[in-house]
Amino acid sequence: MAAETQGEPRDRKPCLQGSIEAFQDVVSSAVFIPKEDGVISVSEDRTIRVWLKRDSGQYWPSVFHTMPYLVKFLVHFLFLLQEFILSEDYNKMTPTNTYQAHQGKVSVVLFVLEMEWLLSTGQDKSFTWHCSESGQQLGTHRTPSWVSGLQFDVETRHAFVGDQSGQVTILKLEQDSCSLVTTFKGHTGNVTALCWDPSQRVLFSGSSDHSIIMWDIGGRKGTAIELQGHSEKIQGLCYSSHTRQLISCSSDGSIVVWNMDVTRQETPEWLDSDSCQKCEQPFFWNFKQMWDCKKIGLRQHHCRKCGQAVCGKCSSKRSSIPLMGFEFEVRVCDSCFESITDEDRAPMATFHDSKHSVVYMHYEHTTGCLLTSGTDKVIKVKGKTDGKR
């Protein structure tokens, strides 16, 4: 299926605008302050800090709060969720509500403003949601493994829960109950990040297996598109709906900006065969054919474009296939290699080096700015990824 492109590719290179370095330990979470040149950071040195950008372009601390325990973006690292109120001038931080949510380490927390709900997951293999107005726990759901990714769709009240087994679960939340909608699994590693696009009704999942999968939830056809552009564990996913870009980062510091304004193709299912589907030579477990033709069995491979089972001789070529999500060169059979044109190999993603090992990433849709925090205890703020200044 041919790509349907709209317009010429744009320069999407993230441009470093500033950095924040005054931390004693790794920053586990950080977010931009909406409509302000500011950042809220949560560090494993037990501090929550507010940073405001001064006229000099540098970020200076406005206020900080030290917790008596480790925190992760207003979250107790063991059992609790802690809520704070910031003063209008960002010079005062007041603790308000505390939520007893889990019996183990909290892994993800998500506030749904439209519902006044606070969603959270923990390593106790539970998913809970609270009313932020009353502080009351509304419901809980047990998960098969501890959860490492969480997203929510306001329109349908669907919660998307990704766990360490590599499974994604969709739950329908009500005021005081939830029901299982479906589960699906496409990763060989644990789910490390989720991102939901409500306009296209598409869910993106990232994994420790280095891959990203785009799940077409709204299309109801079960379409799953793979994106292969990282060499290490996916640490974060963000989607920009107005530019149709997916931004992903991995633990080695690479940032990939994917052009999603194209019609992509699903990767084929790998076919089973006892012999090469090109030259018909037997594979090494096919003893009968090996004996009949007096030949040594060959190792089985698969063409990433057609999915056929082939031997090494019939799949000696390598090619990128961006329409199928393969930005790196992968194994293809000889006939598929001949069918891939230079136009087919045109990149549909740009690659950038954040120059630190990324722990967390946040994207602000209103400004087009991106921040990353790394194991070097530094927050880096990058300019708009669509080339605008």
Side-chain angles (χ1 to χ4, degrees):
M1 182 165 51
E4 298 176 1
T5 57
Q6 298 177 0
E8 294 299 319
R10 292 158 290 183
D11 176 18
R12 298 181 173 95
K13 183 177 181 180
C15 178
L16 183 66
Q17 290 188 341
S19 60
I20 306 172
E21 303 182 14
F23 299 100
Q24 298 179 7
D25 213 328
V26 174
V27 175
S28 54
S29 294
V31 295
F32 289 107
I33 301 174
K35 301 179 182 179
E36 287 285 343
D37 276 336
V39 172
I40 301 175
S41 67
V42 178
S43 171
E44 293 185 12
D45 63 9
R46 300 184 299 165
T47 59
I48 304 171
R49 299 175 185 265
V50 177
W51 306 83
L52 297 180
K53 191 174 183 180
R54 306 304 184 188
D55 293 337
S56 63
Q58 293 181 312
Y59 287 87
W60 287 86
S62 176
V63 65
F64 76 93
H65 181 88
T66 302
M67 301 290 288
Y69 33 69
L70 288 176
V71 294
K72 184 174 182 181
F73 192 50
L74 313 187
V75 177
H76 189 313
F77 236 17
L78 294 178
F79 312 111
L80 304 176
L81 307 179
Q82 178 70 63
E83 180 181 326
F84 294 82
I85 291 180
L86 284 173
S87 61
E88 291 186 5
D89 60 3
Y90 298 102
N91 284 318
K92 185 178 181 181
M93 186 185 303
T94 305
T96 54
N97 294 331
T98 299
Y99 305 86
Q100 182 75 35
H102 298 278
Q103 298 300 316
K105 178 180 175 182
V106 174
S107 54
V108 187
V109 62
L110 183 65
F111 177 59
V112 184
L113 178 62
E114 296 87 347
M115 310 293 297
E116 294 289 344
W117 284 358
L118 190 63
L119 316 181
S120 65
T121 63
Q123 292 187 8
D124 57 356
K125 301 181 183 180
S126 70
F127 162 66
T128 66
W129 64 105
H130 289 74
C131 174
S132 62
E133 290 185 328
S134 66
Q136 179 184 359
Q137 180 174 302
L138 300 177
T140 184
H141 175 80
R142 298 291 297 176
T143 58
S145 182
W146 73 269
V147 176
S148 45
L150 177 63
Q151 290 285 278
F152 185 75
D153 179 53
V154 174
E155 181 181 344
T156 62
R157 296 190 182 185
H158 284 161
F160 305 96
V161 181
D163 63 42
Q164 291 287 296
S165 72
Q167 178 176 286
V168 177
T169 301
I170 302 181
L171 300 171
K172 171 75 171 182
L173 300 191
E174 303 296 346
Q175 190 66 26
D176 56 359
S177 65
C178 74
S179 57
L180 176 65
V181 177
T182 188
T183 62
F184 45 89
K185 187 174 182 179
H187 293 289
T188 57
N190 56 290
V191 175
T192 55
L194 290 178
C195 180
W196 171 247
D197 173 29
S199 59
Q200 300 293 318
R201 309 205 64 74
V202 167
L203 180 71
F204 298 94
S205 62
S207 172
S208 60
D209 64 11
H210 314 166
S211 72
I212 300 165
I213 299 179
M214 180 179 72
W215 307 90
D216 182 13
I217 305 298
R220 301 180 183 275
K221 296 180 180 179
T223 305
I225 305 294
E226 290 188 39
L227 302 175
Q228 302 280 356
H230 288 278
S231 301
E232 294 293 338
K233 177 178 72 172
I234 307 299
Q235 291 288 80
L237 296 171
C238 302
Y239 186 73
S240 172
S241 57
H242 70 285
T243 59
R244 298 288 297 274
Q245 296 170 249
L246 176 70
I247 307 168
S248 60
C249 70
S250 52
S251 56
D252 61 358
S254 66
I255 297 174
V256 182
V257 182
W258 305 84
N259 177 16
M260 303 309 296
D261 198 16
V262 294
T263 301
R264 293 182 177 269
Q265 300 174 7
E266 277 192 283
T267 52
E269 293 288 338
W270 285 5
L271 302 178
D272 293 326
S273 179
D274 292 328
S275 58
C276 176
Q277 294 180 299
K278 295 297 182 181
C279 68
E280 299 185 350
Q281 293 293 316
F283 293 133
F284 64 84
W285 61 83
N286 189 351
F287 297 113
K288 184 180 185 305
Q289 188 178 348
M290 288 166 58
W291 177 262
D292 291 344
C293 64
K294 302 297 188 291
K295 291 184 178 180
I296 298 175
L298 304 176
R299 182 182 176 185
Q300 178 182 257
H301 301 281
H302 284 90
C303 172
R304 278 15 177 217
K305 190 173 189 297
C306 68
Q308 287 191 321
V310 290
C311 66
K313 184 178 179 180
C314 294
S315 59
S316 59
K317 304 292 197 302
R318 302 291 183 273
S319 176
S320 60
I321 321 174
L323 264 183
M324 302 182 80
F326 296 113
E327 291 291 333
F328 300 150
E329 290 190 344
V330 292
R331 181 186 295 272
V332 292
C333 67
D334 292 349
S335 56
C336 282
F337 181 82
E338 296 300 324
S339 70
I340 301 173
T341 66
D342 289 341
E343 184 179 355
D344 294 334
R345 295 186 179 93
M348 295 184 181
T350 57
F351 296 80
H352 316 280
D353 185 5
S354 67
K355 301 189 184 301
H356 66 170
S357 179
V358 176
V359 173
Y360 186 82
M361 178 177 71
H362 176 69
Y363 175 72
E364 177 52 50
H365 299 264
T366 58
T367 62
C369 290
L370 181 78
L371 69 76
T372 57
S373 63
T375 56
D376 55 0
K377 307 174 187 177
V378 175
I379 295 176
K380 294 186 178 182
V381 179
K382 300 169 179 64
K384 295 183 178 180
T385 58
D386 59 5
K388 299 175 184 177
R389 293 288 186 264

